[in-house]
Amino acid sequence: MCTLCMLSASVNLILAVFVLQFLRVTKQYLPHVARLCLISTFLEDGIRMWFQWSEQKDYIESSWGCGAFLATLFVLINLLGQLGGCILILSRNFVQYACFGLFGIIGLQTIAYSILWDPKFLMRNLALGGGLLLLLAESRSEGRSMFAGVPTMRESSPKQYMQLGGRVLLVLMFMTLLHFDANFLSILQNLVGTALIILVAIGFKTKLAALTLVVWLLIINFSFNAFWTIPTYKPMHDFLKYDFFQTTSVIGGLLLVVALGPGGVSMDEKKKEW
């Protein structure tokens, strides 16, 4: 039993050192890469709205019977809202307003494309919202005291709960990746994946679990969503492209967790107090 305890402690120490070394090497540019990945799906969709203006307008007009004016307005809002939000986030100007705007775009698309009734795509949109929530938390300063010299209680800071909500929503992406097959490999993948998403959600060994999920998602994304291998005239090309950039955005959210930590409402933070 003692041998197992020592082995577990040694593994934990090695992993902790690895994460610390990774953060030390990447601390200068990791938050920038995280933000770029996070907004990638909005950037791609905004550009697609530009190049597929007529197709998108016709789809909305025929689906909802709302007329050409409202369909055109929908496409215009999506185009300007997404590209404008991405520019503001990358330039670090009015980030909070940009996040709220992109939240609105997610809600608008969820209704317009009937994603509300598709559990898989709904969970992915919620995961995307979780990434934006983490970005919004990053852009906020810590809660200020009402009186000079009196610190605000950490538990009451909205930023901490934004980080908690962002972590919980991010893990919904992995719920869509679970495969309920009877073979050993699928069962093992489900068990490991479930354990990792629980660790991220509760904020225990958060940076290591999030970094592991980033690697896992990168492998899945480049293996199964390789849209560049499909001719552009085939519908599967657009489907895989959409999937690829949505997954990339969730990777960006997880990278923010790796770079900034889980926040105050987490097991990792409570361990420091204990």
PDB file of all heavy atoms in Angstrom, residues 24-53:
ATOM      1  N   ARG A  24       5.870  27.791 -17.932  1.00  0.00           N
ATOM      2  CA  ARG A  24       7.017  28.695 -17.906  1.00  0.00           C
ATOM      3  C   ARG A  24       7.488  29.008 -19.328  1.00  0.00           C
ATOM      4  O   ARG A  24       7.847  30.145 -19.647  1.00  0.00           O
ATOM      5  CB  ARG A  24       8.155  28.066 -17.098  1.00  0.00           C
ATOM      6  CG  ARG A  24       9.343  29.003 -16.855  1.00  0.00           C
ATOM      7  CD  ARG A  24      10.408  28.346 -15.995  1.00  0.00           C
ATOM      8  NE  ARG A  24       9.907  28.050 -14.658  1.00  0.00           N
ATOM      9  CZ  ARG A  24       9.743  26.817 -14.176  1.00  0.00           C
ATOM     10  NH1 ARG A  24      10.008  25.761 -14.936  1.00  0.00           N
ATOM     11  NH2 ARG A  24       9.302  26.629 -12.953  1.00  0.00           N
ATOM     12  N   VAL A  25       7.483  28.000 -20.180  1.00  0.00           N
ATOM     13  CA  VAL A  25       7.954  28.175 -21.559  1.00  0.00           C
ATOM     14  C   VAL A  25       6.946  28.959 -22.397  1.00  0.00           C
ATOM     15  O   VAL A  25       7.323  29.759 -23.261  1.00  0.00           O
ATOM     16  CB  VAL A  25       8.249  26.800 -22.197  1.00  0.00           C
ATOM     17  CG1 VAL A  25       8.541  26.944 -23.684  1.00  0.00           C
ATOM     18  CG2 VAL A  25       9.409  26.116 -21.490  1.00  0.00           C
ATOM     19  N   THR A  26       5.658  28.746 -22.133  1.00  0.00           N
ATOM     20  CA  THR A  26       4.618  29.305 -23.011  1.00  0.00           C
ATOM     21  C   THR A  26       3.888  30.514 -22.431  1.00  0.00           C
ATOM     22  O   THR A  26       2.952  31.028 -23.072  1.00  0.00           O
ATOM     23  CB  THR A  26       3.566  28.227 -23.328  1.00  0.00           C
ATOM     24  OG1 THR A  26       2.938  27.800 -22.103  1.00  0.00           O
ATOM     25  CG2 THR A  26       4.200  27.022 -24.003  1.00  0.00           C
ATOM     26  N   LYS A  27       4.282  30.973 -21.242  1.00  0.00           N
ATOM     27  CA  LYS A  27       3.484  31.994 -20.557  1.00  0.00           C
ATOM     28  C   LYS A  27       3.378  33.300 -21.344  1.00  0.00           C
ATOM     29  O   LYS A  27       2.401  34.037 -21.192  1.00  0.00           O
ATOM     30  CB  LYS A  27       4.064  32.279 -19.164  1.00  0.00           C
ATOM     31  CG  LYS A  27       5.454  32.912 -19.177  1.00  0.00           C
ATOM     32  CD  LYS A  27       5.934  33.170 -17.756  1.00  0.00           C
ATOM     33  CE  LYS A  27       7.327  33.813 -17.754  1.00  0.00           C
ATOM     34  NZ  LYS A  27       7.794  34.074 -16.370  1.00  0.00           N
ATOM     35  N   GLN A  28       4.351  33.593 -22.201  1.00  0.00           N
ATOM     36  CA  GLN A  28       4.327  34.854 -22.939  1.00  0.00           C
ATOM     37  C   GLN A  28       3.270  34.865 -24.036  1.00  0.00           C
ATOM     38  O   GLN A  28       2.684  35.914 -24.330  1.00  0.00           O
ATOM     39  CB  GLN A  28       5.712  35.115 -23.565  1.00  0.00           C
ATOM     40  CG  GLN A  28       6.837  35.279 -22.555  1.00  0.00           C
ATOM     41  CD  GLN A  28       6.652  36.501 -21.673  1.00  0.00           C
ATOM     42  OE1 GLN A  28       6.062  37.494 -22.086  1.00  0.00           O
ATOM     43  NE2 GLN A  28       7.154  36.447 -20.443  1.00  0.00           N
ATOM     44  N   TYR A  29       3.034  33.723 -24.656  1.00  0.00           N
ATOM     45  CA  TYR A  29       2.144  33.717 -25.813  1.00  0.00           C
ATOM     46  C   TYR A  29       0.929  32.801 -25.677  1.00  0.00           C
ATOM     47  O   TYR A  29       0.024  32.834 -26.514  1.00  0.00           O
ATOM     48  CB  TYR A  29       2.915  33.320 -27.082  1.00  0.00           C
ATOM     49  CG  TYR A  29       3.688  32.038 -26.989  1.00  0.00           C
ATOM     50  CD1 TYR A  29       3.079  30.815 -27.256  1.00  0.00           C
ATOM     51  CD2 TYR A  29       5.046  32.039 -26.656  1.00  0.00           C
ATOM     52  CE1 TYR A  29       3.792  29.636 -27.181  1.00  0.00           C
ATOM     53  CE2 TYR A  29       5.771  30.861 -26.588  1.00  0.00           C
ATOM     54  CZ  TYR A  29       5.136  29.661 -26.857  1.00  0.00           C
ATOM     55  OH  TYR A  29       5.853  28.498 -26.771  1.00  0.00           O
ATOM     56  N   LEU A  30       0.848  31.983 -24.615  1.00  0.00           N
ATOM     57  CA  LEU A  30      -0.279  31.056 -24.466  1.00  0.00           C
ATOM     58  C   LEU A  30      -1.636  31.767 -24.406  1.00  0.00           C
ATOM     59  O   LEU A  30      -2.578  31.342 -25.088  1.00  0.00           O
ATOM     60  CB  LEU A  30      -0.079  30.173 -23.227  1.00  0.00           C
ATOM     61  CG  LEU A  30      -1.096  29.037 -23.046  1.00  0.00           C
ATOM     62  CD1 LEU A  30      -1.076  28.096 -24.243  1.00  0.00           C
ATOM     63  CD2 LEU A  30      -0.825  28.267 -21.750  1.00  0.00           C
ATOM     64  N   PRO A  31      -1.788  32.850 -23.631  1.00  0.00           N
ATOM     65  CA  PRO A  31      -3.088  33.548 -23.627  1.00  0.00           C
ATOM     66  C   PRO A  31      -3.482  34.086 -25.004  1.00  0.00           C
ATOM     67  O   PRO A  31      -4.663  34.077 -25.365  1.00  0.00           O
ATOM     68  CB  PRO A  31      -2.868  34.692 -22.631  1.00  0.00           C
ATOM     69  CG  PRO A  31      -1.764  34.226 -21.740  1.00  0.00           C
ATOM     70  CD  PRO A  31      -0.863  33.440 -22.639  1.00  0.00           C
ATOM     71  N   HIS A  32      -2.492  34.538 -25.794  1.00  0.00           N
ATOM     72  CA  HIS A  32      -2.784  35.053 -27.137  1.00  0.00           C
ATOM     73  C   HIS A  32      -3.241  33.927 -28.063  1.00  0.00           C
ATOM     74  O   HIS A  32      -4.193  34.097 -28.835  1.00  0.00           O
ATOM     75  CB  HIS A  32      -1.547  35.739 -27.714  1.00  0.00           C
ATOM     76  CG  HIS A  32      -1.012  36.852 -26.862  1.00  0.00           C
ATOM     77  ND1 HIS A  32      -1.675  38.051 -26.714  1.00  0.00           N
ATOM     78  CD2 HIS A  32       0.103  36.941 -26.095  1.00  0.00           C
ATOM     79  CE1 HIS A  32      -0.984  38.844 -25.904  1.00  0.00           C
ATOM     80  NE2 HIS A  32       0.102  38.186 -25.520  1.00  0.00           N
ATOM     81  N   VAL A  33      -2.573  32.781 -27.969  1.00  0.00           N
ATOM     82  CA  VAL A  33      -2.971  31.622 -28.769  1.00  0.00           C
ATOM     83  C   VAL A  33      -4.366  31.160 -28.353  1.00  0.00           C
ATOM     84  O   VAL A  33      -5.195  30.813 -29.207  1.00  0.00           O
ATOM     85  CB  VAL A  33      -1.950  30.472 -28.597  1.00  0.00           C
ATOM     86  CG1 VAL A  33      -2.439  29.201 -29.285  1.00  0.00           C
ATOM     87  CG2 VAL A  33      -0.588  30.870 -29.150  1.00  0.00           C
ATOM     88  N   ALA A  34      -4.627  31.183 -27.047  1.00  0.00           N
ATOM     89  CA  ALA A  34      -5.935  30.770 -26.536  1.00  0.00           C
ATOM     90  C   ALA A  34      -7.045  31.651 -27.096  1.00  0.00           C
ATOM     91  O   ALA A  34      -8.089  31.151 -27.548  1.00  0.00           O
ATOM     92  CB  ALA A  34      -5.940  30.810 -25.007  1.00  0.00           C
ATOM     93  N   ARG A  35      -6.832  32.975 -27.096  1.00  0.00           N
ATOM     94  CA  ARG A  35      -7.849  33.891 -27.613  1.00  0.00           C
ATOM     95  C   ARG A  35      -8.067  33.692 -29.109  1.00  0.00           C
ATOM     96  O   ARG A  35      -9.204  33.727 -29.595  1.00  0.00           O
ATOM     97  CB  ARG A  35      -7.463  35.345 -27.319  1.00  0.00           C
ATOM     98  CG  ARG A  35      -7.661  35.745 -25.868  1.00  0.00           C
ATOM     99  CD  ARG A  35      -7.524  37.238 -25.691  1.00  0.00           C
ATOM    100  NE  ARG A  35      -6.146  37.689 -25.889  1.00  0.00           N
ATOM    101  CZ  ARG A  35      -5.246  37.763 -24.924  1.00  0.00           C
ATOM    102  NH1 ARG A  35      -5.568  37.404 -23.691  1.00  0.00           N
ATOM    103  NH2 ARG A  35      -4.021  38.174 -25.173  1.00  0.00           N
ATOM    104  N   LEU A  36      -6.982  33.489 -29.852  1.00  0.00           N
ATOM    105  CA  LEU A  36      -7.097  33.275 -31.298  1.00  0.00           C
ATOM    106  C   LEU A  36      -7.884  32.000 -31.592  1.00  0.00           C
ATOM    107  O   LEU A  36      -8.762  31.985 -32.468  1.00  0.00           O
ATOM    108  CB  LEU A  36      -5.709  33.205 -31.930  1.00  0.00           C
ATOM    109  CG  LEU A  36      -5.672  32.980 -33.438  1.00  0.00           C
ATOM    110  CD1 LEU A  36      -6.385  34.111 -34.174  1.00  0.00           C
ATOM    111  CD2 LEU A  36      -4.229  32.861 -33.930  1.00  0.00           C
ATOM    112  N   CYS A  37      -7.569  30.931 -30.868  1.00  0.00           N
ATOM    113  CA  CYS A  37      -8.306  29.674 -31.053  1.00  0.00           C
ATOM    114  C   CYS A  37      -9.776  29.855 -30.683  1.00  0.00           C
ATOM    115  O   CYS A  37     -10.667  29.374 -31.380  1.00  0.00           O
ATOM    116  CB  CYS A  37      -7.693  28.567 -30.191  1.00  0.00           C
ATOM    117  SG  CYS A  37      -6.087  27.973 -30.754  1.00  0.00           S
ATOM    118  N   LEU A  38     -10.020  30.578 -29.599  1.00  0.00           N
ATOM    119  CA  LEU A  38     -11.382  30.717 -29.102  1.00  0.00           C
ATOM    120  C   LEU A  38     -12.288  31.440 -30.086  1.00  0.00           C
ATOM    121  O   LEU A  38     -13.448  31.061 -30.271  1.00  0.00           O
ATOM    122  CB  LEU A  38     -11.348  31.459 -27.760  1.00  0.00           C
ATOM    123  CG  LEU A  38     -12.537  31.225 -26.816  1.00  0.00           C
ATOM    124  CD1 LEU A  38     -12.121  31.491 -25.374  1.00  0.00           C
ATOM    125  CD2 LEU A  38     -13.718  32.107 -27.172  1.00  0.00           C
ATOM    126  N   ILE A  39     -11.765  32.468 -30.750  1.00  0.00           N
ATOM    127  CA  ILE A  39     -12.613  33.242 -31.667  1.00  0.00           C
ATOM    128  C   ILE A  39     -12.590  32.682 -33.090  1.00  0.00           C
ATOM    129  O   ILE A  39     -13.240  33.222 -33.980  1.00  0.00           O
ATOM    130  CB  ILE A  39     -12.208  34.742 -31.673  1.00  0.00           C
ATOM    131  CG1 ILE A  39     -10.737  34.928 -32.094  1.00  0.00           C
ATOM    132  CG2 ILE A  39     -12.455  35.368 -30.326  1.00  0.00           C
ATOM    133  CD1 ILE A  39     -10.546  35.239 -33.542  1.00  0.00           C
ATOM    134  N   SER A  40     -11.860  31.600 -33.309  1.00  0.00           N
ATOM    135  CA  SER A  40     -11.673  31.087 -34.674  1.00  0.00           C
ATOM    136  C   SER A  40     -12.992  30.714 -35.342  1.00  0.00           C
ATOM    137  O   SER A  40     -13.178  30.958 -36.537  1.00  0.00           O
ATOM    138  CB  SER A  40     -10.721  29.888 -34.678  1.00  0.00           C
ATOM    139  OG  SER A  40     -11.257  28.810 -33.929  1.00  0.00           O
ATOM    140  N   THR A  41     -13.913  30.107 -34.601  1.00  0.00           N
ATOM    141  CA  THR A  41     -15.177  29.703 -35.225  1.00  0.00           C
ATOM    142  C   THR A  41     -16.015  30.915 -35.626  1.00  0.00           C
ATOM    143  O   THR A  41     -16.701  30.903 -36.650  1.00  0.00           O
ATOM    144  CB  THR A  41     -15.981  28.772 -34.286  1.00  0.00           C
ATOM    145  OG1 THR A  41     -17.065  28.220 -35.015  1.00  0.00           O
ATOM    146  CG2 THR A  41     -16.509  29.509 -33.058  1.00  0.00           C
ATOM    147  N   PHE A  42     -15.958  31.995 -34.840  1.00  0.00           N
ATOM    148  CA  PHE A  42     -16.683  33.214 -35.198  1.00  0.00           C
ATOM    149  C   PHE A  42     -16.039  33.887 -36.412  1.00  0.00           C
ATOM    150  O   PHE A  42     -16.733  34.400 -37.297  1.00  0.00           O
ATOM    151  CB  PHE A  42     -16.687  34.191 -34.021  1.00  0.00           C
ATOM    152  CG  PHE A  42     -17.371  33.652 -32.800  1.00  0.00           C
ATOM    153  CD1 PHE A  42     -16.638  33.240 -31.695  1.00  0.00           C
ATOM    154  CD2 PHE A  42     -18.747  33.546 -32.751  1.00  0.00           C
ATOM    155  CE1 PHE A  42     -17.266  32.756 -30.571  1.00  0.00           C
ATOM    156  CE2 PHE A  42     -19.392  33.051 -31.621  1.00  0.00           C
ATOM    157  CZ  PHE A  42     -18.643  32.651 -30.531  1.00  0.00           C
ATOM    158  N   LEU A  43     -14.707  33.859 -36.445  1.00  0.00           N
ATOM    159  CA  LEU A  43     -13.984  34.449 -37.570  1.00  0.00           C
ATOM    160  C   LEU A  43     -14.309  33.706 -38.864  1.00  0.00           C
ATOM    161  O   LEU A  43     -14.617  34.322 -39.898  1.00  0.00           O
ATOM    162  CB  LEU A  43     -12.482  34.408 -37.283  1.00  0.00           C
ATOM    163  CG  LEU A  43     -11.564  35.158 -38.238  1.00  0.00           C
ATOM    164  CD1 LEU A  43     -11.884  36.645 -38.238  1.00  0.00           C
ATOM    165  CD2 LEU A  43     -10.097  34.939 -37.836  1.00  0.00           C
ATOM    166  N   GLU A  44     -14.272  32.370 -38.802  1.00  0.00           N
ATOM    167  CA  GLU A  44     -14.564  31.558 -39.988  1.00  0.00           C
ATOM    168  C   GLU A  44     -16.006  31.746 -40.436  1.00  0.00           C
ATOM    169  O   GLU A  44     -16.293  31.871 -41.631  1.00  0.00           O
ATOM    170  CB  GLU A  44     -14.293  30.088 -39.650  1.00  0.00           C
ATOM    171  CG  GLU A  44     -14.450  29.135 -40.826  1.00  0.00           C
ATOM    172  CD  GLU A  44     -15.876  28.678 -41.071  1.00  0.00           C
ATOM    173  OE1 GLU A  44     -16.646  28.620 -40.082  1.00  0.00           O
ATOM    174  OE2 GLU A  44     -16.223  28.381 -42.237  1.00  0.00           O
ATOM    175  N   ASP A  45     -16.934  31.808 -39.471  1.00  0.00           N
ATOM    176  CA  ASP A  45     -18.346  31.942 -39.830  1.00  0.00           C
ATOM    177  C   ASP A  45     -18.637  33.324 -40.400  1.00  0.00           C
ATOM    178  O   ASP A  45     -19.448  33.464 -41.329  1.00  0.00           O
ATOM    179  CB  ASP A  45     -19.218  31.686 -38.601  1.00  0.00           C
ATOM    180  CG  ASP A  45     -20.664  31.415 -38.971  1.00  0.00           C
ATOM    181  OD1 ASP A  45     -20.905  30.552 -39.832  1.00  0.00           O
ATOM    182  OD2 ASP A  45     -21.561  32.082 -38.415  1.00  0.00           O
ATOM    183  N   GLY A  46     -17.988  34.350 -39.859  1.00  0.00           N
ATOM    184  CA  GLY A  46     -18.168  35.690 -40.405  1.00  0.00           C
ATOM    185  C   GLY A  46     -17.680  35.796 -41.837  1.00  0.00           C
ATOM    186  O   GLY A  46     -18.338  36.397 -42.696  1.00  0.00           O
ATOM    187  N   ILE A  47     -16.533  35.191 -42.111  1.00  0.00           N
ATOM    188  CA  ILE A  47     -16.000  35.184 -43.479  1.00  0.00           C
ATOM    189  C   ILE A  47     -16.918  34.382 -44.405  1.00  0.00           C
ATOM    190  O   ILE A  47     -17.161  34.762 -45.561  1.00  0.00           O
ATOM    191  CB  ILE A  47     -14.567  34.600 -43.493  1.00  0.00           C
ATOM    192  CG1 ILE A  47     -13.620  35.538 -42.730  1.00  0.00           C
ATOM    193  CG2 ILE A  47     -14.074  34.382 -44.913  1.00  0.00           C
ATOM    194  CD1 ILE A  47     -12.234  34.970 -42.506  1.00  0.00           C
ATOM    195  N   ARG A  48     -17.458  33.274 -43.882  1.00  0.00           N
ATOM    196  CA  ARG A  48     -18.379  32.457 -44.689  1.00  0.00           C
ATOM    197  C   ARG A  48     -19.647  33.237 -45.031  1.00  0.00           C
ATOM    198  O   ARG A  48     -20.188  33.102 -46.133  1.00  0.00           O
ATOM    199  CB  ARG A  48     -18.732  31.172 -43.926  1.00  0.00           C
ATOM    200  CG  ARG A  48     -19.616  30.212 -44.693  1.00  0.00           C
ATOM    201  CD  ARG A  48     -19.588  28.833 -44.048  1.00  0.00           C
ATOM    202  NE  ARG A  48     -19.976  28.927 -42.650  1.00  0.00           N
ATOM    203  CZ  ARG A  48     -21.246  28.858 -42.218  1.00  0.00           C
ATOM    204  NH1 ARG A  48     -22.223  28.707 -43.091  1.00  0.00           N
ATOM    205  NH2 ARG A  48     -21.528  28.923 -40.932  1.00  0.00           N
ATOM    206  N   MET A  49     -20.128  34.042 -44.077  1.00  0.00           N
ATOM    207  CA  MET A  49     -21.299  34.873 -44.350  1.00  0.00           C
ATOM    208  C   MET A  49     -21.025  35.834 -45.519  1.00  0.00           C
ATOM    209  O   MET A  49     -21.908  36.136 -46.314  1.00  0.00           O
ATOM    210  CB  MET A  49     -21.692  35.671 -43.102  1.00  0.00           C
ATOM    211  CG  MET A  49     -22.276  34.846 -41.978  1.00  0.00           C
ATOM    212  SD  MET A  49     -23.937  34.252 -42.357  1.00  0.00           S
ATOM    213  CE  MET A  49     -24.240  33.184 -40.943  1.00  0.00           C
ATOM    214  N   TRP A  50     -19.800  36.305 -45.595  1.00  0.00           N
ATOM    215  CA  TRP A  50     -19.424  37.234 -46.673  1.00  0.00           C
ATOM    216  C   TRP A  50     -19.429  36.524 -48.027  1.00  0.00           C
ATOM    217  O   TRP A  50     -19.991  37.029 -49.002  1.00  0.00           O
ATOM    218  CB  TRP A  50     -18.054  37.826 -46.372  1.00  0.00           C
ATOM    219  CG  TRP A  50     -17.530  38.728 -47.462  1.00  0.00           C
ATOM    220  CD1 TRP A  50     -16.757  38.375 -48.531  1.00  0.00           C
ATOM    221  CD2 TRP A  50     -17.765  40.133 -47.597  1.00  0.00           C
ATOM    222  NE1 TRP A  50     -16.477  39.462 -49.321  1.00  0.00           N
ATOM    223  CE2 TRP A  50     -17.091  40.569 -48.766  1.00  0.00           C
ATOM    224  CE3 TRP A  50     -18.464  41.073 -46.846  1.00  0.00           C
ATOM    225  CZ2 TRP A  50     -17.099  41.886 -49.196  1.00  0.00           C
ATOM    226  CZ3 TRP A  50     -18.480  42.392 -47.272  1.00  0.00           C
ATOM    227  CH2 TRP A  50     -17.802  42.791 -48.433  1.00  0.00           C
ATOM    228  N   PHE A  51     -18.800  35.348 -48.082  1.00  0.00           N
ATOM    229  CA  PHE A  51     -18.647  34.650 -49.357  1.00  0.00           C
ATOM    230  C   PHE A  51     -19.890  33.845 -49.746  1.00  0.00           C
ATOM    231  O   PHE A  51     -20.051  33.500 -50.919  1.00  0.00           O
ATOM    232  CB  PHE A  51     -17.427  33.732 -49.319  1.00  0.00           C
ATOM    233  CG  PHE A  51     -16.119  34.467 -49.389  1.00  0.00           C
ATOM    234  CD1 PHE A  51     -15.360  34.680 -48.243  1.00  0.00           C
ATOM    235  CD2 PHE A  51     -15.650  34.974 -50.587  1.00  0.00           C
ATOM    236  CE1 PHE A  51     -14.157  35.367 -48.310  1.00  0.00           C
ATOM    237  CE2 PHE A  51     -14.455  35.669 -50.660  1.00  0.00           C
ATOM    238  CZ  PHE A  51     -13.697  35.873 -49.517  1.00  0.00           C
ATOM    239  N   GLN A  52     -20.739  33.530 -48.773  1.00  0.00           N
ATOM    240  CA  GLN A  52     -21.959  32.771 -49.072  1.00  0.00           C
ATOM    241  C   GLN A  52     -23.199  33.600 -48.731  1.00  0.00           C
ATOM    242  O   GLN A  52     -24.192  33.089 -48.229  1.00  0.00           O
ATOM    243  CB  GLN A  52     -21.968  31.453 -48.289  1.00  0.00           C
ATOM    244  CG  GLN A  52     -20.856  30.510 -48.671  1.00  0.00           C
ATOM    245  CD  GLN A  52     -20.917  29.200 -47.889  1.00  0.00           C
ATOM    246  OE1 GLN A  52     -21.822  28.965 -47.090  1.00  0.00           O
ATOM    247  NE2 GLN A  52     -19.945  28.340 -48.110  1.00  0.00           N
ATOM    248  N   TRP A  53     -23.107  34.885 -49.001  1.00  0.00           N
ATOM    249  CA  TRP A  53     -24.183  35.820 -48.640  1.00  0.00           C
ATOM    250  C   TRP A  53     -25.532  35.367 -49.193  1.00  0.00           C
ATOM    251  O   TRP A  53     -26.529  35.257 -48.460  1.00  0.00           O
ATOM    252  CB  TRP A  53     -23.824  37.218 -49.161  1.00  0.00           C
ATOM    253  CG  TRP A  53     -24.852  38.260 -48.876  1.00  0.00           C
ATOM    254  CD1 TRP A  53     -26.020  38.484 -49.535  1.00  0.00           C
ATOM    255  CD2 TRP A  53     -24.797  39.236 -47.835  1.00  0.00           C
ATOM    256  NE1 TRP A  53     -26.696  39.545 -48.985  1.00  0.00           N
ATOM    257  CE2 TRP A  53     -25.971  40.022 -47.935  1.00  0.00           C
ATOM    258  CE3 TRP A  53     -23.863  39.536 -46.836  1.00  0.00           C
ATOM    259  CZ2 TRP A  53     -26.242  41.082 -47.074  1.00  0.00           C
ATOM    260  CZ3 TRP A  53     -24.135  40.597 -45.977  1.00  0.00           C
ATOM    261  CH2 TRP A  53     -25.308  41.351 -46.095  1.00  0.00           C
TER     262      TRP A  53
END
